[in-house]
Amino acid sequence: MRFTKIIYSTLFVITAGVLSLKAQDPKTAEKKTEEKAVTEEIEVVRPYKPVLAEAVKLRRSPDLNDVKTYKAKFSYNLTDRKLELNSDINKLQAQEVAAEREAELINNYVKGAFGSARTILGEAYVNIGNDPALQAGAYFQHFGQSGKLNKQQSDQQKISVFGRSIGEMSTMSGRVNFQRNGLFFYGIDKANPSLNPNPQKQVLNFFEAEGEIVNKYTEDPDALSYAAKLNGYIWSDKYSAKENSIVLNGYLNKRISKFNLGLAASAEFGSTKDSITKIGNNLLKLNPYIRLQASGVKITAGINFVQEFGDVSSSRIFPAVTADFTLIPDYLQIFGEVKGDVSRNSLKLFTDDNPFLNSNINIRNSVEKLSISGGIKGTGGPGFGYKAKVYHKRIEDMPLFVNNFGNFNKFDVIYDFGTMKLVGLEGELSVQVSDELKWTGKLNFEDYKPAAETQSWFKPQMRLSSNLSYVINKKLTLDASVAIQDDSKAKIYTAAPANPYLIPDPANEKVVTVKGFVDLGAGVSYKINNKFSAFARANNLLNTSYSRYLHYETIGMNIFGGISYSF
């Protein structure tokens, strides 16, 4: 057996050698014979590249029992933050919309109208534009009317120039006004209609200038507020009456938490001169106060010190206390006030109320010794507001108008020497149903108890005024108004009163009733386009010849209309 293996191995080696020799290409060359050796040159055609089977490439088998896992090393940086649990609905973020086209603002207009009773109206207003920090403009008006009575005519002109500058710290404003009233003393005594055949003419001129500076509001709880205003005017009539006045007002306020410490002061210098009279009545007022303003409560307590100097010299101290309590925010507030003051009377003040004034009027100040008032105010919802109060006043030297004994169509000013008592009720109401419908009204009831006089002359007990506006559409607007006044009393002298007048003499007086009246008015305006509008107005629709002052009937029903142009 062993011998057989040797034979097979020897044959395999010999065969492999022979085959390998056949794979080479022998090259013919000179044969050299040496002793027991053969030399032969062999040329290799291609390199040898052994090829191994795929299974031979695995050097070792994998270890299937190796179950180790790779754990990577990480580094962490932890932030200490509170976990917030917010279950509320998130606030919606406003989305920016496309910019709207800037509205075209119309700041200027001119207006003209004419109608019955020789009514002529001319009006103009101009403004520099919509600069939020600088405002300036001018205004002019002319209005004239004539009635059926002899020289029952009047005309009025107004001119005003104004400006305002808003700075970072304060606001400054100023204005200059001029006003002229032309009229006639056309009063007629129906019992003697021939007493005034040629009414005299009267012209009242008024020139005024005013400047003011006010600091801007700030949320700083310790802020210092201040304001100052200077006003002066010159007044004159067609005859010899002249009057001038300068008034300086100042205000300081310091906020300390819920409290305010402040001082209001004013100095009034005035003089009145006529053909035989010359009066100087000046006032100095100081009002220190402390104010508590907390949630729903506002209380101000202080004093009002008043010094009169000039032709009359006196010093007075009055209380100055106000309180405001909010019971239901925006719906109901209760307020009250206790105060006293001295009022400076002037020809300008008297002629604004009654332009048919006589010459050489006696001027003296009135003293409001004590005034107590209280009431409620608030709103009843969107578009509804109200206010109601009752008051009681004690007034010394209250001025009253009476017909002059020699000239029945001119009025003198007398004073109810002593302390007059007044109890009153005042109510205001405002209702705005929608942007199209709005109504306002005001009612006053007053009960006078004179000190020396038998009546409070030309002081009605009841006065009511109301206005209604209704926008039918974008072009057409209607409005209506009503004024109602109760009867009043007038005094007629049957004999010449004492001069100077001090105490009334009922034996030389006669009391006359001036009937009350109802005055209805209505108006309409139509917007033709953005530039032009047409309007019309009717006054005294009941065509009643009522009188506010004895012997002076108003013009009856009158209608006028016109066109306005805006630019």
Side-chain angles (χ1 to χ4, degrees), residues 285-296:
K285 299 181 180 181
L286 298 175
N287 173 218
Y289 64 86
I290 181 172
R291 178 182 300 146
L292 169 64
Q293 188 166 355
S295 178

Side-chain angles (χ1 to χ4, degrees), residues 355-377:
F356 308 105
L357 212 60
N358 198 9
S359 301
N360 299 307
I361 297 298
N362 182 27
I363 300 293
R364 47 185 304 137
N365 297 329
S366 298
V367 181
E368 190 174 309
K369 288 186 173 181
L370 185 64
S371 174
I372 302 174
S373 62
I376 59 174
K377 62 181 178 180

Side-chain angles (χ1 to χ4, degrees), residues 354 356-358 361 399-416 453 455-458 489-493 497 501 504 509-510 549-551:
N354 183 356
F356 308 105
L357 212 60
N358 198 9
I361 297 298
L400 300 169
F401 295 111
V402 294
N403 292 78
N404 183 264
F405 175 71
N407 298 307
F408 71 95
N409 57 349
K410 295 184 179 181
F411 292 86
D412 292 327
V413 176
I414 64 173
Y415 297 88
D416 188 8
E453 298 292 326
Q455 299 285 340
S456 292
W457 313 116
F458 297 109
K489 302 296 182 181
K491 178 166 69 172
I492 299 296
Y493 292 114
Y501 181 86
E509 300 173 356
K510 182 174 66 172
Y549 293 101
L550 189 62
H551 304 317

Side-chain angles (χ1 to χ4, degrees), residues 13-134:
V13 172
I14 294 170
T15 302
V18 173
L19 292 175
S20 62
L21 290 175
K22 287 183 178 181
Q24 299 176 356
D25 186 10
K27 186 177 181 181
T28 306
E30 280 185 14
K31 296 182 180 180
K32 296 180 179 182
T33 305
E34 293 182 4
E35 233 178 86
K36 297 180 183 181
V38 179
T39 302
E40 197 173 19
E41 184 179 349
I42 299 173
E43 183 179 353
V44 178
V45 177
R46 57 181 176 82
Y48 173 70
K49 292 183 180 181
V51 178
L52 298 177
E54 293 295 331
V56 180
K57 294 180 182 179
L58 296 176
R59 309 296 293 178
R60 60 178 180 175
S61 299
D63 186 2
L64 300 179
N65 295 322
D66 190 2
V67 294
K68 292 182 180 181
T69 58
Y70 175 73
K71 296 181 180 180
K73 294 183 179 180
F74 298 98
S75 60
Y76 300 94
N77 186 14
L78 300 180
T79 304
D80 186 10
R81 295 183 61 185
K82 180 181 179 181
L83 178 62
E84 296 182 357
L85 299 178
N86 186 3
S87 59
D88 296 337
I89 299 176
N90 293 331
K91 181 179 179 181
L92 295 177
Q93 300 296 325
Q95 184 177 1
E96 185 177 358
V97 297
E100 294 184 2
R101 182 180 178 182
E102 187 175 355
E104 181 182 359
L105 299 179
I106 300 176
N107 301 309
N108 314 310
Y109 72 87
V110 292
K111 181 187 296 186
F114 65 93
S116 63
R118 299 181 183 178
T119 301
I120 298 177
L121 171 65
E123 191 173 298
Y125 175 86
V126 293
N127 192 286
I128 63 172
N130 59 349
D131 190 336
L134 180 62

Side-chain angles (χ1 to χ4, degrees), residues 390-463:
V390 294
Y391 51 89
H392 178 273
K393 297 181 180 181
R394 298 176 59 203
I395 303 176
E396 183 180 282
D397 294 339
M398 179 178 178
L400 300 169
F401 295 111
V402 294
N403 292 78
N404 183 264
F405 175 71
N407 298 307
F408 71 95
N409 57 349
K410 295 184 179 181
F411 292 86
D412 292 327
V413 176
I414 64 173
Y415 297 88
D416 188 8
F417 296 112
T419 302
M420 184 274 300
K421 297 180 182 179
L422 169 63
V423 178
L425 170 65
E426 180 180 298
E428 296 181 29
L429 194 64
S430 176
V431 180
Q432 186 168 352
V433 179
S434 62
D435 292 338
E436 291 77 26
L437 182 61
K438 183 178 181 180
W439 173 67
T440 60
K442 184 176 181 179
L443 176 65
N444 289 86
F445 282 104
E446 293 181 325
D447 181 25
Y448 294 88
K449 294 183 178 179
E453 298 292 326
T454 56
Q455 299 285 340
S456 292
W457 313 116
F458 297 109
K459 298 290 185 182
Q461 288 191 336
M462 188 272 291
R463 289 172 289 130

Side-chain angles (χ1 to χ4, degrees), residues 5-21:
K5 291 181 177 180
I6 295 171
I7 292 173
Y8 284 133
S9 299
T10 304
L11 291 175
F12 175 77
V13 172
I14 294 170
T15 302
V18 173
L19 292 175
S20 62
L21 290 175

